[in-house]
Amino acid sequence: MRTSETAVQNTGKGGFRITGIGTGMLAAISAHKSKQGKTTGNQHHQKGYKNERYRRFGCFAARLDDVANYIPARLTAFLMVAVSGRFPLLLFVGKYGSKHASPNSGYPEAALAGILDCRFGGPHNYFGEEVWKPYIGNNERPLTTEDMRIAVRINRSVEWIMVIIVVATATCMYVIPSFF
């Protein structure tokens, strides 16, 4: 179960994925800005824990990460639902997306929970400490290898769609500069 949640968070926020791609598009296809999106996410995940050592730096990085990922997280959820071809799941995403502690992670997680007809959340173990997360979805069932294949297929499809959107946007910006 945790692997699926991690995989979907990484689609929205990790590496040169939707956040990096989306940040690059919004910053006029700037490679520097794409790396900033990943840097913000890394700072948040490495130092954004709620402990005294990193409280001041971590809170700032976490808020910056929240702002930077607001649109990409929702776009990721929309594209995940679109790739699945099950548009009624947008209501499911709307219902469960805001239940996550992160203002952004819940939306792609809700999309995947809806696509897989499962439930994410509950108890998690971070550095030996149990943390409870709100449930996203309502069908508690064990996930299978096929579920992981579906999650990977959805994630890869969303990434490719975003690459196509960025290339099309960059092309339009080059061909019709006065429009932008």
Side-chain angles (χ1 to χ4, degrees):
M1 191 80 77
R2 307 299 168 246
T3 305
S4 295
E5 290 177 63
T6 300
V8 75
Q9 283 182 355
N10 285 336
T11 297
K13 296 169 74 170
F16 184 68
R17 299 192 187 265
I18 300 303
T19 298
I21 296 168
T23 304
M25 182 177 72
L26 294 174
I29 320 305
S30 163
H32 174 69
K33 293 293 183 184
S34 292
K35 290 182 190 285
Q36 278 183 340
K38 180 59 179 164
T39 301
T40 301
N42 280 347
Q43 290 171 352
H44 163 54
H45 289 293
Q46 291 173 358
K47 310 227 179 350
Y49 300 112
K50 297 175 182 171
N51 63 38
E52 286 306 313
R53 181 175 180 190
Y54 295 117
R55 181 162 310 278
R56 288 183 17 219
F57 178 77
C59 287
F60 176 76
R63 294 303 141 246
L64 184 61
D65 185 60
D66 292 343
V67 170
N69 286 298
Y70 186 85
I71 292 171
R74 285 145 185 84
L75 178 59
T76 299
F78 173 78
L79 291 175
M80 291 172 80
V81 170
V83 165
S84 77
R86 297 168 53 199
F87 287 98
L89 285 177
L90 290 172
L91 296 173
F92 183 90
V93 171
K95 176 180 178 181
Y96 286 103
S98 62
K99 294 191 182 296
H100 198 283
S102 162
N104 297 320
S105 295
Y107 291 91
E109 283 187 28
L112 189 60
I115 291 165
L116 297 177
D117 189 29
C118 69
R119 180 175 80 179
F120 293 142
H124 289 67
N125 188 313
Y126 291 108
F127 305 105
E129 184 178 325
E130 186 173 86
V131 176
W132 273 84
K133 293 186 175 186
Y135 288 115
I136 295 177
N138 51 19
N139 186 10
E140 183 179 6
R141 67 175 185 82
L143 293 177
T144 65
T145 302
E146 183 58 26
D147 291 324
M148 287 307 303
R149 286 189 185 109
I150 292 169
V152 168
R153 181 182 53 79
I154 294 289
N155 290 353
R156 286 183 178 160
S157 297
V158 167
E159 291 168 9
W160 277 112
I161 289 170
M162 198 60 202
V163 167
I164 292 167
I165 290 170
V166 169
V167 169
T169 302
T171 302
C172 288
M173 290 175 71
Y174 179 75
V175 172
I176 316 169
S178 62
F179 183 73
F180 294 93

